[in-house]
Amino acid sequence: MRIERVDEKTVKCFLSNEELEEYDIDYKDFILRSDKAREVVQEIIEQAEEEVGYKPPKFAFDLQIMMLPDQGLILTFSDRDPDVRDSDQFIECLREMKKILQKTRERINAAGGGEDTGEASGKTQAAEPPAPASRPGFAVFVFSGIGRIMEYASMLPSNLAVDSRLYEMNGLYYLYLLKGHASYERYSRACVQAMEFGSLFAAEEAQAMPLKEHGQCLIGEKALKKLRG
């Protein structure tokens, strides 16, 4: 496992697919907060204390889970100050996803499977953060049950003009959340709130293709409004 210190109150841990297999655990365990997941989280925290001097909060911390297709998971532990802007948290989450996607593309291209990324001339393109003109308006979140999504929906403003769809696959529930006619600030806040009840599953359309192909669409439009009741 690879642990990185983000700031004074935040650390990230990358778990490869091989390590997940060794622990006999997957992303569902972290979403469902299984005993195995708690044991792994405790081990990560202890290792973070030793390796990067992380000091976990005395009472509780925020755990965010990001799936990396064909690679593993990133777990982010944080104890953020209340004045940190929600949109900044979401942008940081998507920025990390973009870095991983860029590295994956570079490996594929280096093996001769795609367009030149500059590696042939000894150069590697660095992943750039999302530009203001291309702010993300797409995200998919995974939840352990319908009840969690209903709780989330009840927290949102009734006039929030986002688009949403609900899928089910392998016993978990996936909520497509698109910006729709909402302002970017309100959309990003809704995304951050979603991570309090579930986890970010995908931040680009291509990552969600397996869900469209193998999942069952339960609510095709206005899912949050219908679940709010």
Side-chain angles (χ1 to χ4, degrees), residues 146-160:
I146 287 285
R148 295 295 286 169
I149 304 179
M150 294 177 71
E151 287 181 62
Y152 165 57
S154 69
M155 298 286 291
L156 298 174
S158 58
N159 63 346
L160 183 64

Side-chain angles (χ1 to χ4, degrees), residues 50-225:
E50 293 179 6
E51 292 186 6
V52 297
Y54 174 60
K55 295 181 180 179
K58 293 181 180 179
F59 302 104
F61 56 80
D62 177 44
L63 173 62
Q64 295 180 6
I65 309 159
M66 287 193 295
M67 288 189 63
L68 308 177
D70 304 320
Q71 296 183 56
L73 296 175
I74 284 183
L75 304 178
T76 302
F77 302 83
S78 60
D79 176 29
R80 292 191 177 277
D81 295 326
D83 60 351
V84 174
R85 292 182 61 190
D86 289 342
S87 60
D88 290 343
Q89 294 181 36
F90 183 53
I91 287 293
E92 179 60 33
C93 187
L94 295 185
R95 182 180 289 115
E96 184 63 37
M97 295 291 285
K98 286 180 178 290
K99 287 180 181 178
I100 297 298
L101 287 169
Q102 179 67 26
K103 290 178 181 178
T104 301
R105 293 190 187 105
E106 289 174 356
R107 281 199 296 270
I108 293 172
N109 292 329
E115 297 178 2
D116 183 18
T117 61
E119 291 187 4
S121 58
K123 297 179 181 179
T124 302
Q125 292 181 339
E128 296 181 359
S134 60
R135 284 176 166 180
F138 171 89
V140 181
F141 299 91
V142 56
F143 298 81
S144 58
I146 287 285
R148 295 295 286 169
I149 304 179
M150 294 177 71
E151 287 181 62
Y152 165 57
S154 69
M155 298 286 291
L156 298 174
S158 58
N159 63 346
L160 183 64
V162 296
D163 293 334
S164 56
R165 302 192 297 271
L166 181 64
Y167 280 74
E168 187 274 333
M169 185 172 72
N170 297 329
L172 295 176
Y173 296 85
Y174 299 79
L175 180 72
Y176 275 74
L177 194 60
L178 300 98
K179 179 178 173 297
H181 297 292
S183 69
Y184 180 75
E185 291 300 324
R186 299 191 79 192
Y187 172 70
S188 63
R189 183 176 294 275
C191 287
V192 171
Q193 287 178 295
M195 289 188 280
E196 296 176 10
F197 295 87
S199 301
L200 180 65
F201 175 77
E204 293 190 359
E205 289 274 6
Q207 295 174 301
M209 286 306 296
L211 181 59
K212 288 184 177 180
E213 293 173 359
H214 305 293
Q216 178 184 2
C217 182
L218 302 180
I219 304 177
E221 60 179 12
K222 299 181 180 179
L224 287 173
K225 183 177 181 180

